[in-house]
Amino acid sequence: MQAKGFHTTLSTNIPLHARHEYAACNLFVLHELPADIIVDSFELNDHGFRFQFVGNTNLELPTSRIANESGWLLVAIKQEADLVVVDVPLHVRYGVPHEGHNPRHIIQLLPPICFWACPSSYKSLHGTLPSQSPEFRLLNSFVQFEILQHTTSSPLSFDIPVGNICHTLYIELCTVTMTLLAFAYIVQHCWTISKTLYSAHLKMQ
Amino acid sequence: MQPNTSATWQGRIPCFEKLLVISAVLRVVLILYSEWHDAHSIVKYTDIDYRVFSDAARFILYPKLQGNTAKGPLAPLFFTVGDPYARETYRYTPLLAILLLPNEWLHPSFGKYLFAACDLINGALIYQILMLHILPHTKSLAPDVSAENSKRFMRAYATLLAATHLLNPLVFTISTRGSSEAILCTFVLLTLFYALERRHNAAAVMLGLSAHWKIYPIIYGVSCVSVITLQHVDGEGWDFAYLRRLVGRQALCFALLSGGTFIILGAVCYAMWGYPFLYEAYLYHTDRRDHRHNFSPYFYLIYLTYSSSGSTSADLPIWRQLLRSPFTSLIPQLTLSLGTGLILGRLSADLPFVWFVQTFTFVLFNRVCTSQYFIWYTLFIPLLVPRITISWKKWVMCGVVWMGTQALWLAEAYKLEFLGDDVFFGLWVRSLIYVAGHAWVLGVIMSGYTPFVSCNQHTQAPE
């Protein structure tokens, strides 16, 4: 499923089979997000998430001005039901402008990794997190992981429009022209009203 | 456009106190609604800026949060004060975060109630300015009204005009959503009030405070100094006597007092919070590049050229570098916002009009423009109406063009932001239409302005 627009909610469904077997463990979902995606930590706080984000936290830069490195979002989840749904609000940076007719940019999202994180005293588990993922403070007290299968998430990609570089000269000329025309129009009115105010002031004197 | 002088319509207007109560109740209801709405909806009623202010206030109160202690050279050693600039995108004076500390102690909506209270104060100031300085000098526009009924007419008219601000959806939505513009409007209106009262020292202090809050009110200083200068100059205006008075005692006193207030407030904040205050509150705004869509047509140019600024831009021919230069908008902006203050600022009675023109041109030519900026000049409209002599049809046209160009732009922006349609070019075209439309509206209002002296001349009935 593809999201349109610059804002969406990444929804992950996590069926928890035999969750009672993991009573001593914590449930997490790990998202690897492309550099194009913005995670607003303050917004996640408002949603009541317990989370940790490692990545570019500048909310205001376009894609062209940030390093092409993934961001990692780890969300702790309460395992209160047999099916848990995690909704994470995501936003998209403006992409690098392209040439061509109606240029667009597709951003693929990797499926999230849902896993149990268990203490060392727990039975032996064999799951591992991606090697390129950073170290998370939230996982400090956990050493064993069990990756959950059969989780689904949507959307799987973003489809956004980008600026058209072919327009640049036209945009430059017309923007400046309109600015100067508006300037000239207002100057002309200023000149007229200033003469009126000036004669009024003289009469008063 | 002047109201009918008959007693009928006056009887239908409630007294100003009643209007204040109605406005207050409206705002309280909206704030309570905002709390319910935000708790039950993904799309929030509250402005994102309110979260920013509230977080900054929390950071001041709890300096141990994320290690955010104040970084100023004179930050207290015996107790720690938090750094509001640890909150990303907090680009305001720290005094705003301090004002909102009760968000943490009392209630999260305290700030909204504060902004709503400022709205009511602004309405009261508009009413007072109309009653004391504007309507008494335009009562001649109702020559058939007896002196006894004149005061009733003025009260009713002033209440009606104040209501256009207090019951303006743009105004009460902005404050109840948690935007802090109402506080700045209070400072600006107080500056204007004192200037009209010719209490220049008080006006200077308030101007310094306003400029500390947000930098743009500095432009009003030009018209204030011009008015002060011309009060003591006889003659044609910009001659040697004028120039001598421009650097005379009174004008200098005003400039030093307002500049001094601005510097002292800035120095105190810098001493406590250091360079982050200086950068976020002021320096950031001098070079900000808002590439995401906003009313200004420069958004698209900034977006297309964002990654090609600097060395690659230097490869372009000179004329294209000039086209991309920020001076293409800055020079018209400063020329008009400062120049109109100098040229039109002749009498203190004309200050509401002059400040309106200065602010309108500042907003119109700014390289970023959002809806909140409009309140900076719509604030003055109730004060101008008694002196604008245009037909009601032209008023309606102005309203239609002013709102219609925004609606046209917003419709396209929605398609881009939420539907992902490729409408960058169309949105930019609508930005150009916004500039043209708003320039036209300003031209119409300027053409219809009747100066103070001309109004008084109407009192002399022909013999």
Side-chain angles (χ1 to χ4, degrees), chain B residues 388-401:
Chain B
I388 305 289
T389 49
I390 58 178
S391 65
W392 68 267
K393 279 183 190 165
K394 258 216 168 122
W395 272 117
V396 169
M397 268 307 290
C398 283
V400 165
V401 169

Side-chain angles (χ1 to χ4, degrees), chain B residues 160-238:
Chain B
L160 188 64
L161 290 172
T164 63
H165 181 78
L166 286 167
L167 301 179
N168 184 341
L170 181 70
V171 172
F172 61 68
T173 306
I174 279 177
S175 56
T176 56
R177 288 188 68 214
S179 173
S180 66
E181 301 297 334
I183 296 184
L184 178 64
C185 290
T186 303
F187 294 153
V188 167
L189 280 173
L190 277 171
T191 310
L192 179 62
F193 178 76
Y194 289 131
L196 291 171
E197 294 268 298
R198 301 200 184 188
R199 290 168 59 182
H200 297 303
N201 291 342
V205 169
M206 288 310 306
L207 182 63
L209 174 58
S210 305
H212 168 82
W213 211 263
K214 250 192 182 113
I215 204 85
Y216 86 86
I218 275 179
I219 60 180
Y220 303 144
V222 175
S223 47
C224 287
V225 166
S226 182
V227 162
I228 290 170
T229 304
L230 282 169
Q231 270 170 11
H232 303 283
V233 171
D234 293 327
E236 301 203 347
W238 299 303

Side-chain angles (χ1 to χ4, degrees), chain B residues 142-174:
Chain B
D144 56 335
V145 176
S146 68
E148 193 183 309
N149 286 332
S150 172
K151 254 217 148 38
R152 226 177 66 185
F153 168 78
M154 271 178 22
R155 272 196 290 266
Y157 195 19
T159 303
L160 188 64
L161 290 172
T164 63
H165 181 78
L166 286 167
L167 301 179
N168 184 341
L170 181 70
V171 172
F172 61 68
T173 306
I174 279 177

Side-chain angles (χ1 to χ4, degrees), chain A residues 6-25:
Chain A
F6 290 82
H7 312 279
T8 195
T9 300
L10 182 59
S11 189
T12 305
N13 290 346
I14 311 171
L16 296 179
H17 306 298
R19 62 186 168 104
H20 57 277
E21 293 180 16
Y22 299 93
C25 304

Side-chain angles (χ1 to χ4, degrees), chain B residues 445-462:
Chain B
I445 291 176
M446 289 174 77
S447 303
Y449 182 68
T450 311
F452 160 69
V453 172
S454 299
C455 295
N456 269 354
Q457 285 186 329
H458 292 170
T459 60
Q460 294 168 3

Side-chain angles (χ1 to χ4, degrees), chain B residues 297-314:
Chain B
Y298 279 91
F299 91 87
Y300 197 22
L301 181 58
I302 292 170
Y303 169 38
L304 290 177
T305 57
Y306 208 106
S307 53
S308 63
S309 60
S311 56
T312 47
S313 185

Side-chain angles (χ1 to χ4, degrees), chain A residues 68-148:
Chain A
N68 189 19
E69 289 167 358
S70 297
W72 296 84
L73 175 66
L74 180 71
V75 182
I77 307 161
K78 293 180 189 159
Q79 58 257 42
E80 291 167 336
D82 289 337
L83 178 67
V84 175
V85 180
V86 181
D87 292 325
V88 176
L90 298 179
H91 313 281
V92 188
R93 301 179 191 278
Y94 273 23
V96 179
H98 291 156
E99 290 179 348
H101 178 66
N102 289 347
R104 301 189 74 88
H105 176 51
I106 309 284
I107 303 165
Q108 295 292 345
L109 294 177
L110 294 171
I113 299 169
C114 306
F115 61 93
W116 293 107
C118 304
S120 55
S121 56
Y122 208 67
K123 63 181 181 186
S124 180
L125 300 171
H126 304 290
T128 52
L129 297 181
S131 56
Q132 66 270 32
S133 65
E135 294 207 4
F136 290 100
R137 172 177 37 83
L138 282 182
L139 297 178
N140 275 350
S141 49
F142 304 106
V143 294
Q144 303 199 76
F145 308 106
E146 175 83 1
I147 310 296
L148 274 76

